[in-house]
């Protein structure tokens, strides 16, 4: 089925503190209506602190897309040819699960990382937690590998948590929380997005049919 959900993204950046340590400072909150329609994600009504953005959404801080479903679909796609290995039993959110490690070679990557006008699709590795009872994905993590020296970022990580959500009288396993981290080559200049998905609703397209009297 097709769904709509409200995405709330709180964006943070590192700031220097005494003793050479770093601390996270909140920059702003970005909200967006995310629509999942026939396997495709659409982002509408993007607001920064409740107002339409005056500049590119990525200029004041990092902005990520795809946590809703396309990230998971791509990792599991046969075209990505991910290498799954290291299966082991574990628990997550009080549910018995299997954890698999995985890696994706750069030539098979479809993960777009953008920074300062540059774009790159890196090789990456990660892990996925699968519900032992029904084989549904409960969490996925990935981390970029071997970023080129000329690219502004050398550390990029992402994680998505899934949980069961009621829509009407039915219950579905859907994304509820996500975090994304990116750091420049210096290592101390980082940004972090904390994303919450709220108010899931079933999405139906509006249809109108009219007849020309002539």
């Amino acid at each position: 089925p097709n769904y709509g959900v409200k995405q709330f993204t709180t964006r943070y950046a590192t700031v220097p503190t005494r003793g050479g340590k770093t601390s996270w400072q909140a920059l702003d909150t970005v909200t967006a209506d995310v629509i999942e329609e026939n396997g495709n994600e659409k982002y509408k009504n993007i607001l920064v602190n409740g107002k339409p953005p005056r500049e590119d959404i990525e200029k004041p801080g990092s902005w990520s897309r795809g946590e809703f479903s396309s990230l998971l679909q791509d990792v599991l796609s046969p075209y990505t040819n991910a290498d799954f290995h290291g299966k082991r039993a574990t628990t997550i959110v009080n549910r018995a699960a299997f954890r698999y490690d995985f890696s994706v070679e750069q030539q098979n990557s479809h993960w777009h990382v953008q920074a300062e006008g540059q774009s790159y699709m890196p090789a990456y590795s990660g892990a996925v937690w699968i519900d032992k009872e029904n084989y549904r994905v409960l969490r996925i993590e990935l981390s970029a590998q071997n970023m080129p020296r000329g690219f502004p970022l050398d550390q990029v990580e992402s994680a998505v948590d899934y949980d069961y959500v009621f829509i009407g009288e039915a219950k579905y396993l859907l994304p509820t929380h996500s975090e994304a981290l990116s750091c420049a080559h210096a290592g101390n200049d980082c940004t972090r997005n904390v994303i919450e998905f709220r108010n899931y609703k079933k999405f139906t397209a509006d249809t109108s049919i009219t007849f020309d009297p002539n």
Side-chain angles (χ1 to χ4, degrees), residues 89-210:
T90 184
T91 57
I92 185 170
V93 290
N94 297 321
R95 296 185 68 88
F98 294 114
R99 170 178 166 161
Y100 290 84
D101 296 327
F102 67 86
S103 58
V104 174
E105 297 181 357
Q106 196 275 328
Q107 61 265 30
N108 297 328
S109 174
H110 308 108
W111 183 18
H112 288 266
V113 177
Q114 295 180 327
E116 299 181 13
Q118 298 186 46
S119 178
Y120 184 69
M121 291 186 290
Y124 58 92
S125 61
V128 59
W129 285 256
I130 298 177
D131 194 311
K132 195 173 183 178
E133 180 180 350
N134 56 25
Y135 305 107
R136 301 297 300 273
V137 172
L138 299 173
R139 178 177 171 84
I140 187 169
E141 298 177 353
L142 58 159
S143 176
Q145 303 294 318
N146 303 318
M147 297 293 285
R149 291 186 177 182
F151 195 76
L153 305 175
D154 68 350
Q155 182 181 0
V156 183
E157 300 176 0
S158 181
V160 184
D161 291 305
Y162 300 81
D163 203 350
Y164 291 94
V165 176
F166 277 98
I167 300 179
E169 297 181 355
K171 185 169 66 172
Y172 303 92
L173 187 68
L174 295 167
T176 56
H177 178 87
S178 176
E179 295 201 19
L181 172 72
S182 58
C183 296
H185 283 280
N188 294 324
D189 186 10
C190 299
T191 61
R192 180 167 63 100
N193 290 355
V194 178
I195 305 168
E196 301 290 340
F197 298 98
R198 306 174 191 168
N199 304 325
Y200 273 99
K201 296 180 180 180
K202 196 166 185 177
F203 173 74
T204 56
D206 294 329
T207 303
S208 176
I209 301 176
T210 60

Side-chain angles (χ1 to χ4, degrees), residues 49-115:
N49 293 333
K51 299 179 180 180
R54 296 182 178 180
E55 55 185 349
D56 191 325
I57 195 70
E58 296 178 359
K59 285 188 176 181
S62 63
W63 169 249
S64 57
R65 301 171 186 257
E67 294 85 3
F68 192 51
S69 67
S70 57
L71 182 152
L72 177 61
Q73 291 174 355
D74 186 66
V75 169
L76 299 179
S77 168
Y79 296 102
T80 303
N81 195 29
D83 175 26
F84 290 91
H85 53 274
K87 175 184 175 182
R88 55 191 181 276
T90 184
T91 57
I92 185 170
V93 290
N94 297 321
R95 296 185 68 88
F98 294 114
R99 170 178 166 161
Y100 290 84
D101 296 327
F102 67 86
S103 58
V104 174
E105 297 181 357
Q106 196 275 328
Q107 61 265 30
N108 297 328
S109 174
H110 308 108
W111 183 18
H112 288 266
V113 177
Q114 295 180 327

